[in-house]
Amino acid sequence: MNKKLRIILVWTLISLLLQWGAYSFLNNQVEKVMAPTGASEPITLQLKATIPSSTMTNIQISYAKDYLAYMENGTLKVFNLPKGTVVFEKKSPVVNEPNYGVLTYQWLPDRNTLLYFYAKKNPDPVTYVTVYPPKSTLQTPTEDLNPVEPKTDDPNQTIVKEVPKIAPKEVPVEPRVEKRYGNPQITELYTLELPNSDEDISPVDRFNQTIDNFPAGGTIEGWVDSTSTNLMYLTVKNESTELLMEIDVMKNVRTLSKSGETIDNMAASDRYGTLYIDSKVGSNHQVLALDGTKRQIISKNINDRILGIRDGNVYIGEVENNQLVKIKTTTDLATLTNDPTLKTEWEGTIPFDNKVRTLIGAKGQVIIYDHQTAYIVTAGQLAEVKLHGDENYVSVDGAELIQLTKQGTSTLAELQALKS
């Protein structure tokens, strides 16, 4: 009996070990598919492509570096770089009116998906509505005009006549027509999903939502996303106002800016959705953190500017006389307080005017560049890279350099890794 029990226990143990080994193998295979080795490294390509345009503006490259989005004569175009073809176009509904058509666009940082805002005229900006007021009532006596006096046997009792009953009577009220004024502009958000660049599949252009309170004639001057929290932030300006708008995953839109506030730059937390802004109200300039309508002061130094956010670090630059002289960081926390500690990461001088672009690369490098030079600060060390195209752009992850050179009516695009 004991021998049989030992045999059963041994085979049970062997079975459990085999199952554990099989599950471990399957788990490793799934991990390789879901998160392959090197997937956290930015994608870079090395190729050349001729784009049939010499008047491109707002050049933006996709997450996988195989699509280029640009504007040409009021039309949004998406170019497949490996195949050398335009795969998508979105024209303006109104010719030669810059306030209509595609207002701006942006690639998602983790997939080949382009978001864009599209404006068109409202065909019914004025509507007429028939309003039916509630019916009026009047208190009128009933038709009993000869009330009966109550009888009594008591000679000392006062005799009181019954008061005629009052019944409400409805008086008809004529309806009226009222004029209602709506937004003369319809502003819509679209999602353009593109396949792998080697596939012969058409992009999917999907309507997302209408932004009802988008100001007519407004231009989108700033746009940042927090993909982990599905929050989108826009700074919108027209002739009379500047708004900071938040759009969440439930398609709710709210305004976060204060009256008279100007926002020069902003960055969204890739972890918590917190928005960091350069806020200016009158002569008061501050770097603020916004969690919904709640505000915290990050820096009161009038020379500090938000540079960006990456992997839990908020990067702040100190700018004096159009020169970046210091880069500081603070931790991107779920719960923020006023005046957090700012750690100095680098000191020196880098040209910093309204012509430069700034981004934080996937490896924490701070990149400041124009069309001639890129300045790259990595781990406190500055490197200067000369750029050779007529126009030069860097991908949002800081990994890819796109050099554009005009060739008659076309443009040569050359892609290569950006190396410091």
Side-chain angles (χ1 to χ4, degrees):
M1 185 68 181
N2 292 335
K3 184 177 180 180
K4 289 182 178 180
L5 183 59
R6 285 197 299 270
I7 291 173
I8 292 173
L9 290 174
V10 169
W11 280 109
T12 301
L13 180 61
I14 291 173
S15 176
L16 291 173
L17 290 172
L18 289 173
Q19 290 182 48
W20 179 82
Y23 288 142
S24 297
F25 174 78
L26 290 174
N27 185 58
N28 289 335
Q29 295 304 309
V30 170
E31 286 186 354
K32 288 181 180 179
V33 173
M34 299 301 293
T37 302
S40 60
E41 290 292 317
I43 299 171
T44 55
L45 295 181
Q46 185 166 357
L47 59 81
K48 294 181 180 181
T50 301
I51 302 173
S53 173
S54 61
T55 57
M56 298 185 297
T57 58
N58 196 7
I59 312 297
Q60 295 186 35
I61 196 164
S62 66
Y63 158 75
K65 316 300 190 302
D66 49 0
Y67 289 103
L68 202 68
Y70 60 92
M71 292 294 294
E72 182 183 26
N73 299 325
T75 299
L76 168 63
K77 296 186 178 182
V78 178
F79 188 82
N80 184 317
L81 288 163
K83 288 189 175 182
T85 57
V86 174
V87 296
F88 177 78
E89 294 187 13
K90 187 83 170 200
K91 296 182 179 180
S92 173
V94 183
V95 179
N96 296 326
E97 288 198 33
N99 293 331
Y100 296 101
V102 175
L103 301 178
T104 190
Y105 47 90
Q106 188 163 284
W107 293 100
L108 290 181
D110 56 354
R111 72 205 80 160
N112 275 358
T113 298
L114 185 73
L115 304 178
Y116 68 91
F117 286 89
Y118 188 81
K120 57 187 179 183
K121 288 184 176 180
N122 186 349
D124 300 306
V126 180
T127 56
Y128 296 88
V129 179
T130 301
V131 179
Y132 294 89
K135 293 180 179 180
S136 177
T137 59
L138 294 175
Q139 299 294 328
T140 59
T142 61
E143 295 180 356
D144 186 2
L145 301 179
N146 298 301
V148 179
E149 295 184 1
K151 295 180 179 181
T152 177
D153 294 330
D154 185 352
N156 297 319
Q157 181 178 353
T158 303
I159 299 176
V160 181
K161 292 184 178 181
E162 291 183 357
V163 179
K165 295 180 180 180
I166 304 299
K169 183 178 180 180
E170 292 184 349
V171 178
V173 178
E174 292 295 325
R176 67 181 185 276
V177 176
E178 290 186 357
K179 184 183 291 188
R180 303 284 173 85
Y181 295 91
N183 195 330
Q185 175 179 308
I186 297 175
T187 306
E188 300 169 329
L189 175 63
Y190 284 83
T191 301
L192 180 68
E193 299 175 358
L194 292 113
N196 293 331
S197 56
D198 58 353
E199 296 179 331
D200 294 323
I201 302 174
S202 298
V204 177
D205 187 27
R206 182 177 293 110
F207 168 77
N208 192 307
Q209 71 180 99
T210 298
I211 314 299
D212 293 323
N213 54 344
F214 192 97
T219 58
I220 300 175
E221 298 200 335
W223 176 2
V224 294
D225 296 312
S226 175
T227 53
S228 62
T229 58
N230 290 307
L231 288 172
M232 181 185 302
Y233 298 98
L234 308 172
T235 50
V236 184
K237 180 183 288 187
N238 63 8
E239 294 179 354
S240 60
T241 186
E242 179 174 343
L243 300 176
L244 171 59
M245 306 176 72
E246 177 194 78
I247 305 174
D248 64 24
V249 67
M250 301 304 294
K251 301 183 180 180
N252 299 312
V253 182
R254 62 175 173 173
T255 300
L256 302 180
S257 51
K258 291 185 175 182
S259 177
E261 182 175 42
T262 299
I263 298 171
D264 295 328
N265 195 25
M266 59 183 179
S269 168
D270 49 4
R271 295 184 176 184
Y272 309 112
T274 307
L275 181 67
Y276 295 83
I277 64 172
D278 292 337
S279 170
K280 186 177 181 182
V281 180
S283 60
N284 185 27
H285 186 284
Q286 297 176 326
V287 178
L288 303 177
L290 278 63
D291 182 5
T293 56
K294 184 179 180 181
R295 293 180 168 218
Q296 300 289 348
I297 299 174
I298 302 302
S299 174
K300 296 179 182 177
N301 187 337
I302 62 173
N303 295 320
D304 279 356
R305 304 288 184 271
I306 184 73
L307 298 178
I309 303 173
R310 178 76 71 167
D311 294 334
N313 290 313
V314 181
Y315 294 80
I316 296 172
E318 190 171 326
V319 180
E320 297 178 358
N321 300 319
N322 290 333
Q323 295 285 324
L324 178 66
V325 297
K326 188 181 294 185
I327 296 175
K328 299 172 280 190
T329 60
T330 189
T331 304
D332 179 24
L333 300 174
T335 303
L336 296 170
T337 59
N338 286 326
D339 300 317
T341 300
L342 301 180
K343 177 185 176 183
T344 298
E345 303 286 351
W346 171 87
E347 291 185 79
T349 56
I350 296 175
F352 199 90
D353 56 22
N354 56 9
K355 296 180 181 179
V356 301
R357 296 178 174 89
T358 304
L359 60 92
I360 312 300
K363 297 182 179 180
Q365 71 273 36
V366 180
I367 302 173
I368 298 103
Y369 74 100
D370 55 21
H371 289 306
Q372 288 78 43
T373 310
Y375 300 91
I376 306 173
V377 178
T378 308
Q381 301 298 315
L382 173 63
E384 184 176 331
V385 180
K386 294 299 180 183
L387 308 178
H388 303 291
D390 296 332
E391 296 180 15
N392 300 278
Y393 300 88
V394 179
S395 59
V396 293
D397 55 16
E400 191 85 8
L401 174 64
I402 305 99
Q403 296 188 140
L404 304 178
T405 305
K406 301 291 174 42
Q407 296 182 335
T409 58
S410 61
T411 301
L412 175 65
E414 183 174 358
L415 274 64
Q416 59 188 1
L418 176 63
K419 297 180 180 179
S420 56

